[in-house]
Amino acid sequence: NSYSRQFDWAPTYFQWMNSKSQQITAGHGLVGLAILVLPILLVVAILFGIVYGIFGLVGAGVLQLALLWYCLDARDLQKEPYENATPTLLLNESYQNLFAILFWYGLFGPIGLLLYVSVAQLSAVVPKTLFLKSEGEQEAVAQQATGSASLEKYLTKTLGVLDWVPVRLLGLSFALVGSFGAV
């Protein structure tokens, strides 16, 4: 159960990146998406290159397993807070926190894993992080909110593209295991 060891990094990261680069919410949403996601992927790729250079394949494998363990949410869905949840909520939670992460890790390794996790986390955070701080900043906040809507749109589209294949594979696996007609 790695959930107890996870922390909510996405709001802090988004606020920090937004303060460093106004292109995230001021420009085109695709540019903001690239500015948000590419540094995460580059840092991890460099870290894995360093670990592989020093410790070899075993060190990189251990680091991959640690990263996978951190990103997976393997809570028992029979316990709190899911004990009275609907089947749809349980399916969505198990898909987003297990199946999609394992799919992208299996396909592209740690880069695919972090791409999916970072886009999923940031798509949940971006609409919530922009708020009015003072009356003097109303014009800047209005412009930032417009850019944030564009960024939110591209994050949602990117997450939809990343979810397209794994959702169909999960549905197919449920159909093959259960009642094909009902699925």
Side-chain angles (χ1 to χ4, degrees), residues 46-57 59-60:
I46 291 169
L47 178 67
F48 271 94
I50 291 170
V51 168
Y52 181 75
I54 295 173
F55 299 109
L57 191 58

Side-chain angles (χ1 to χ4, degrees), residues 144-156:
Q144 193 176 21
T146 304
S148 176
S150 177
L151 176 63
E152 181 184 353
K153 178 180 87 171
Y154 278 98
L155 279 168
T156 304

Side-chain angles (χ1 to χ4, degrees), residues 43-175:
V43 166
V44 169
I46 291 169
L47 178 67
F48 271 94
I50 291 170
V51 168
Y52 181 75
I54 295 173
F55 299 109
L57 191 58
V58 173
V62 168
L63 186 59
Q64 281 185 28
L65 288 177
L67 182 65
L68 180 63
W69 171 78
Y70 176 77
C71 291
L72 281 177
D73 182 5
R75 282 183 279 183
D76 185 3
L77 296 178
Q78 300 294 326
K79 297 181 181 176
E80 284 284 334
Y82 300 112
E83 61 188 17
N84 296 324
T86 63
T88 304
L89 176 67
L90 293 175
L91 175 66
N92 286 338
E93 287 294 319
S94 63
Y95 166 75
Q96 291 173 345
N97 296 327
L98 288 172
F99 189 81
I101 291 173
L102 289 173
F103 174 81
W104 288 109
Y105 176 74
L107 197 61
F108 293 116
I111 297 297
L113 166 75
L114 281 178
L115 176 66
Y116 182 79
V117 169
S118 61
V119 169
Q121 292 286 325
L122 289 170
S123 67
V125 165
V126 168
K128 300 174 188 173
T129 55
L130 296 173
F131 52 89
L132 188 60
K133 294 181 181 177
S134 69
E135 293 179 18
E137 299 177 342
Q138 287 185 9
E139 183 178 315
V141 170
Q143 181 182 7
Q144 193 176 21
T146 304
S148 176
S150 177
L151 176 63
E152 181 184 353
K153 178 180 87 171
Y154 278 98
L155 279 168
T156 304
K157 283 184 178 184
T158 304
L159 186 60
V161 168
L162 291 174
D163 279 339
W164 194 82
V165 172
V167 163
R168 277 144 183 83
L169 287 176
L170 184 66
L172 180 63
S173 65
F174 282 156

